[in-house]
Amino acid sequence: MLSAIGAATLIYSCKSDHKMKSEENSASNFEVECDQFADLQVLRYEISGFNELTPQQKELSYYLYEAANAGRDIIYDQKYKYGLTIRRTIEAIYETNKKHDVKSEDWKKFEVYAKKFFFANGNHHHYSNIKFVPECSFEYFSDLVNNSDVSKLPLDGKTMDQFLSLMQRVVFDPAVDVKVVDLSKGIDNIKASSNNFYEDVSQKDVENYYALRMKKDDAEPIAWGLNSKMSMVNGQVTEKVWKVVGMYTQAIEKIVYWLEKAVPVTENEKQKHALELLVEYYKTGDLKKWDEYNIAWVADVDSRIDVVNGFIEVYGDAIGKRASYESVVSLKDMEATKRISTIASNAKWFEDHSPIMKEHKKEEVTGITAKVITVIQEAGDGAPSTPIGINLPNSNWVRQKHGSKSVSLGNIIHSYNVVAAKSPMMKEFANSEEEIKRNEQFGALAGDLHTDMHEVIGHASGKINKGVGDPDQTLKNYASTLEEARADLVALYYILDPKLVEIGVMPSLEVGKCEFDGYIRNGLITQLTRIPLGENLEEAHMRNRQLIAKWAYEKGKAENVIEFVKRDGKTFVKVNNYDKLRELFGQLLKEIQRVKSEGDYKAATELVEGYGVKVDQELLKEVRERFLKLNVAPYKGFVQPILTPVMTGGKITDVKVEYPNNFLQNQLELGKKYSLLPNIN
């Protein structure tokens, strides 16, 4: 899965009232910008094409929308044991505290904290993973709590003094539960991470537990740990499975309820079969059933409406086993799909011509389907911060035997492009007018093609040697970073290939040069706008981008392939030799594929720690000073549309779409409607 676009964009705040805009708004006057606070920008996306759907497709969309939102509580609990407790405290303050002065500086500081909390699905930054605390005082916060309705507070039997003592520790103390995911070298990554995937177990406990269950020569390995919390109970390592009548049952029962409503109105038998298997998986927690569902889901290539729903991505687990809840409901963009489908139809050519070793190439490229989607709803780990591309399933053996689906999130990317067109970032950080003009002409297409190839031929390429375990076993805490790097390198290697001009998806190699400029600039300079002084890189995608750019810079030094340019006290980067840079990308792709195929943990460590982690603090200081003058938020996410059924005689005959333009109010309303889990799980 490809993370959200890295380039920061200029923000224009929208109205703060809670009016809605109807679905009939045309693309030309649809208001994309919604809110700005701290280092965050909230956007909106339009569900173009929704009115073209049949009543049955709209009804299906609505049920899948409700199923997506029913799991909203899960991500808060997965990210932090006290995530739901903190969220419900914030909600209680907004709902019942009428004594605060909304114009006071303290209230404004608390409100920024609340917005940040909802954006991150918790109190750890959605990208850096580092805990953030309110800028208002604990005394002020305590006053807000004390003046709220005690029946609405998540006290769980505590006195008010006991509850506030807990809040002081988990909300205000930056030294408590510092990182939701800590990927640092040479530590127990599980104990250092504050997510709620593990309790009272060490990394060694977990590795030993699964070593007894995993078989290296298993042709169809189970994704052990994907859907459970691991705890130590009476001296025994125990898994609490996320299923009906298991952990998270209150939310999962509701997900199942809406999925079962969806089954009778599916578009075809393949889609129906896939959803039935998903329901069975949620009821049983059986990971073999999860594989069966994924196989059936991949086989459904004809449905206009599609859904991703489950415990999907493992970035939230430092050792890459446990997956966060996520859902994306979408409809296929028929016209825009032509480009990405062309790439998918040539997947075998790309695999055959890859610079990786012959023994690491797939002999057959099976069942890769690709499309551009219009997002209808995102929930869980997919919102508010969203990917721009998705390639699933994640199981290597399922991909190899049954294929995969690759999607580009078209309306999400469109909203990003709208704000990017207004951004002063290019003018500040691009090395030359030539780069700026090339980006104006080809930047959007270059980004689309990179996403397409990252998902379609990147994640789906290559194979693991027989007898070598999956990357979560072999590459451990470096697996996610290197998988993203591998997919990025496939895209980078081919975006300067004449084959793309030949098959008609880009007009000239200038598109590739544009992408090379932007990728190197971002990997070496502009992504640093997201990093506080004194910090190194933690997030897998950021490590991946610096690893690639820094490795290429170091290996190309002798021939001056990439050059740091100093001008007027500012640092820029310049690509001097695009063809040589492509060769370097090919060399690194070959090595990273080897590392994955052979399970070479030592080489993985050297690559990530050597190139992807450490930040030049002097450069960081300079970049941040330049960036702060631009008044640009480095991170973006989305407020989700609201779907409302139109009933006639007890039956859904239509579905209306509304677009909230008040992020905070929308989050509070979601909390009222989809609050299903206990405070502590």
Side-chain angles (χ1 to χ4, degrees):
M1 182 177 287
L2 192 64
S3 68
I5 292 173
T9 52
L10 187 62
I11 300 169
Y12 296 85
S13 297
C14 75
K15 304 178 188 75
S16 60
D17 60 82
H18 191 48
K19 293 178 182 176
M20 304 280 189
K21 291 202 172 184
S22 69
E23 197 270 335
E24 284 72 24
N25 278 329
S26 68
S28 60
N29 64 15
F30 184 78
E31 205 173 297
V32 170
E33 296 88 0
C34 181
D35 199 359
Q36 178 181 353
F37 48 91
D39 58 351
L40 304 167
Q41 174 186 20
V42 179
L43 306 177
R44 308 190 312 162
Y45 61 83
E46 188 173 22
I47 314 175
S48 16
F50 191 80
N51 281 340
E52 301 168 6
L53 299 177
T54 66
Q56 181 177 324
Q57 287 172 323
K58 288 182 179 181
E59 184 177 3
L60 174 62
S61 300
Y62 173 70
Y63 294 144
L64 297 176
Y65 157 91
E66 288 288 3
N69 287 323
R72 179 174 182 262
D73 275 359
I74 296 175
I75 189 64
Y76 282 91
D77 191 76
Q78 287 181 319
K79 290 193 75 172
Y80 191 37
K81 180 178 180 178
Y82 299 104
L84 288 171
T85 299
I86 300 170
R87 195 192 84 195
R88 286 168 182 156
T89 303
I90 293 170
E91 290 168 345
I93 290 170
Y94 272 96
E95 183 180 353
T96 67
N97 187 313
K98 308 301 180 187
K99 296 184 178 180
H100 61 272
D101 178 3
V102 296
K103 295 182 179 179
S104 73
E105 288 303 311
D106 279 329
W107 175 256
K108 290 175 183 177
K109 289 175 181 178
F110 171 74
E111 188 151 270
V112 168
Y113 177 78
K115 290 180 179 182
K116 288 172 65 177
F117 184 90
F118 286 121
F119 192 98
N121 296 314
N123 63 337
H124 293 82
H125 194 280
H126 77 285
Y127 216 80
S128 73
N129 293 318
I130 298 171
K131 182 177 180 178
F132 55 84
V133 300
E135 292 187 10
C136 65
S137 68
F138 175 65
E139 289 71 26
Y140 178 76
F141 177 83
S142 299
D143 187 59
L144 291 177
V145 172
N146 279 314
N147 284 288
S148 299
D149 184 342
V150 69
S151 69
K152 299 290 186 180
L153 291 169
L155 299 182
D156 288 327
K158 299 180 184 68
T159 66
M160 187 62 80
D161 285 346
Q162 289 171 332
F163 179 72
L164 287 172
S165 177
L166 174 67
M167 289 293 99
Q168 186 169 29
R169 186 166 61 86
V170 301
V171 175
F172 280 85
D173 190 340
V176 172
D177 300 327
V178 178
K179 293 180 180 178
V180 69
V181 183
D182 194 329
L183 298 172
S184 303
K185 180 183 177 184
I187 64 169
D188 186 316
N189 297 110
I190 285 176
K191 287 196 169 183
S193 301
S194 62
N195 57 52
N196 197 27
F197 290 142
Y198 304 94
E199 194 158 8
D200 300 325
V201 293
S202 67
Q203 188 167 341
K204 193 68 175 172
D205 291 332
V206 178
E207 290 172 353
N208 290 341
Y209 180 87
Y210 289 118
L212 297 174
R213 288 156 178 79
M214 291 176 173
K215 299 175 183 177
K216 283 192 174 181
D217 58 350
D218 191 347
E220 298 181 359
I222 291 171
W224 293 106
L226 192 74
N227 65 336
S228 67
K229 177 179 176 178
M230 181 168 277
S231 305
M232 187 70 73
V233 180
N234 298 324
Q236 296 293 318
V237 175
T238 305
E239 288 187 280
K240 300 176 182 177
V241 180
W242 306 326
K243 63 173 183 172
V244 172
V245 199
M247 188 171 176
Y248 299 145
T249 185
Q250 301 91 332
I252 293 173
E253 287 172 30
K254 208 66 177 174
I255 295 171
V256 166
Y257 169 82
W258 288 110
L259 291 176
E260 288 182 329
K261 296 273 282 186
V263 167
V265 293
T266 47
E267 298 179 68
N268 52 59
E269 285 301 313
K270 286 185 177 180
Q271 187 179 54
K272 179 182 179 183
H273 178 54
L275 284 185
E276 287 173 337
L277 286 170
L278 181 58
V279 166
E280 195 173 346
Y281 160 67
Y282 270 130
K283 287 181 176 180
T284 63
D286 183 352
L287 286 167
K288 287 186 178 178
K289 195 61 62 179
W290 174 245
D291 287 336
E292 289 177 31
Y293 158 69
N294 279 295
I295 292 166
W297 177 74
V298 166
D300 174 23
V301 296
D302 297 320
S303 300
R304 181 83 189 271
I305 305 300
D306 205 353
V307 65
V308 170
N309 188 299
F311 305 109
I312 311 289
E313 300 293 348
V314 297
Y315 300 113
D317 181 358
I319 62 169
K321 291 191 181 299
R322 287 169 162 75
S324 301
Y325 173 76
E326 177 179 0
S327 187
V328 178
V329 183
S330 64
L331 65 93
K332 185 177 180 179
D333 184 327
M334 306 303 287
E335 183 62 30
T337 291
K338 293 176 182 177
R339 181 194 70 243
I340 197 170
S341 294
T342 301
I343 292 170
S345 67
N346 285 275
K348 183 66 165 66
W349 185 93
F350 291 116
E351 185 78 358
D352 290 345
H353 290 80
S354 172
I356 66 177
M357 297 164 68
K358 185 178 180 181
E359 56 266 37
H360 299 154
K361 294 181 181 181
K362 289 180 178 176
E363 291 82 10
E364 297 296 328
V365 179
T366 306
I368 295 177
T369 60
K371 58 186 176 180
V372 176
I373 62 172
T374 296
V375 174
I376 296 172
Q377 181 72 185
E378 297 175 301
D381 204 30
S385 180
T386 169
I388 56 172
I390 300 171
N391 179 274
L392 292 171
N394 285 326
S395 169
N396 284 293
W397 76 263
V398 173
R399 288 153 116 39
Q400 192 162 335
K401 289 187 178 182
H402 301 280
S404 61
K405 283 183 182 178
S406 296
V407 299
S408 179
L409 282 59
N411 55 339
I412 296 291
I413 293 171
H414 172 75
S415 290
Y416 281 133
N417 286 341
V418 168
V419 292
K422 305 170 184 176
S423 174
M425 288 287 288
M426 278 297 295
K427 187 174 181 181
E428 175 60 36
F429 289 103
N431 179 58
S432 66
E433 283 297 321
E434 180 185 7
E435 285 181 25
I436 294 172
K437 288 178 181 177
R438 187 154 52 206
N439 184 72
E440 288 173 355
Q441 189 172 2
F442 300 116
L445 177 58
D448 286 346
L449 284 171
H450 180 105
T451 303
D452 293 350
M453 291 189 290
H454 174 106
E455 302 297 346
V456 177
I457 59 173
H459 285 308
S461 67
K463 66 179 182 179
I464 296 174
N465 291 0
K466 189 175 181 180
V468 174
D470 279 346
D472 68 296
Q473 304 167 48
T474 58
L475 306 183
K476 303 179 183 179
N477 51 313
Y478 302 118
S480 294
T481 294
L482 290 178
E483 178 56 23
E484 292 305 316
R486 194 179 69 87
D488 264 359
L489 284 163
V490 171
L492 290 166
Y493 183 76
Y494 282 116
I495 203 164
L496 205 69
D497 195 303
K499 180 70 174 179
L500 298 188
V501 179
E502 178 190 321
I503 63 177
V505 297
M506 73 181 193
S508 74
L509 296 183
E510 288 297 297
V511 178
K513 291 180 180 180
C514 177
E515 183 61 18
F516 278 23
D517 290 337
Y519 197 93
I520 295 299
R521 185 189 314 118
N522 189 31
L524 294 177
I525 293 183
T526 53
Q527 75 167 0
L528 297 181
T529 58
R530 301 177 168 197
I531 304 298
L533 285 173
E535 294 291 333
N536 287 314
L537 300 185
E538 287 283 345
E539 200 275 336
H541 296 84
M542 296 184 78
R543 286 183 165 193
N544 140 47
R545 289 189 286 263
Q546 179 172 288
L547 188 163
I548 291 172
K550 190 174 180 182
W551 188 95
Y553 169 71
E554 294 290 345
K555 299 300 180 183
K557 255 185 178 179
E559 298 178 66
N560 201 29
V561 176
I562 300 168
E563 178 184 2
F564 277 97
V565 177
K566 277 282 194 180
R567 188 169 60 249
D568 301 324
K570 296 180 179 181
T571 305
F572 303 89
V573 286
K574 179 185 178 186
V575 177
N576 290 315
N577 190 326
Y578 293 95
D579 291 331
K580 184 64 181 177
L581 181 54
R582 185 186 183 223
E583 287 180 28
L584 291 170
F585 287 151
Q587 291 169 23
L588 183 56
L589 172 58
K590 180 180 179 181
E591 173 60 8
I592 289 180
Q593 181 63 59
R594 183 198 68 77
V595 168
K596 178 181 178 179
S597 296
E598 299 177 4
D600 189 342
Y601 182 75
K602 183 175 182 292
T605 304
E606 291 170 355
L607 278 170
V608 178
E609 296 292 340
Y611 298 97
V613 176
K614 293 179 183 176
V615 171
D616 180 332
Q617 294 296 317
E618 283 301 312
L619 178 60
L620 174 60
K621 183 174 182 292
E622 176 209 315
V623 169
R624 283 184 57 82
E625 287 174 355
R626 292 163 63 185
F627 176 71
L628 290 173
K629 294 176 182 177
L630 302 179
N631 190 32
V632 172
Y635 301 99
K636 296 175 288 295
F638 289 83
V639 61
Q640 301 296 314
I642 296 173
L643 269 59
T644 305
V646 177
M647 309 296 293
T648 305
K651 179 172 173 55
I652 295 177
T653 55
D654 197 7
V655 176
K656 294 297 183 184
V657 181
E658 295 175 299
Y659 298 99
N661 61 6
N662 185 311
F663 173 68
L664 180 57
Q665 187 62 36
N666 173 252
Q667 292 296 305
L668 294 171
E669 290 179 1
L670 289 171
K672 290 178 184 177
K673 186 173 181 182
Y674 302 105
S675 192
L676 300 169
L677 294 179
N679 301 317
I680 300 292
N681 297 274

